[in-house]
């Protein structure tokens, strides 16, 4: 099992209804968890993510929907699940 992600790390994060998106694990800037980047215990961890090239949107994402971003994931050889085909999202995803 890989070690858990840490604050400041670039990850893939997925919100329901959206594709996997590059994000950074970051401290929350609003209550009730202001200043925290991780809440929960064990398998019920949630991470505060700031999505890249997405108007600095943030969200608390379940641990099972956060994956480490690897160097090869950013290029043309990335896994199929990390490729966005929708025209309106494709450009932002590539910029991220």
């Amino acid at each position: 099992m890989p070690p858990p992600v840490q604050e400041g790390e670039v990850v893939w994060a997925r919100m329901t209804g959206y594709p996997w998106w590059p994000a950074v694990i970051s401290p929350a800037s609003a209550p009730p968890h202001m200043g925290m980047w991780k809440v929960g215990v064990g398998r019920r961890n949630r991470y505060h993510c700031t999505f890249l090239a997405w108007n600095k949107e943030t969200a608390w994402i379940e641990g099972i929907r956060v994956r480490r971003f690897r160097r090869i994931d950013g290029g043309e050889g990335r896994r199929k699940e990390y490729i966005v085909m929708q025209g309106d999202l494709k450009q932002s995803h590539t910029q991220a």
Side-chain angles (χ1 to χ4, degrees):
M1 184 169 161
V5 295
Q6 298 295 316
E7 181 180 359
E9 191 169 344
V10 177
V11 296
W12 288 105
R14 184 159 193 222
M15 288 180 27
T16 303
Y18 291 90
W20 287 95
W21 203 271
V24 175
I25 302 296
S26 60
S29 60
H33 301 296
M34 190 178 325
M36 299 176 73
W37 57 272
K38 176 180 158 185
V39 295
V41 177
R43 301 181 103 193
R44 300 189 58 88
N45 280 338
R46 290 185 303 142
Y47 297 94
H48 189 261
C49 298
T50 301
F51 292 93
L52 302 177
W54 196 266
N55 298 325
K56 297 184 181 178
E57 292 288 330
T58 63
W60 285 97
I61 307 293
E62 296 173 31
I64 61 171
R65 292 177 172 260
V66 174
R67 297 180 182 169
R68 272 206 160 68
F69 190 97
R70 299 173 304 159
R71 186 178 187 129
I72 61 172
D73 292 336
E76 304 230 351
R78 73 175 72 177
R79 293 168 60 174
K80 187 176 181 178
E81 62 193 312
Y82 298 144
I83 297 174
V84 173
M85 301 305 287
Q86 290 175 291
D88 57 334
L89 295 178
K90 189 174 185 176
Q91 184 176 359
S92 292
H93 195 265
T94 302
Q95 288 175 349

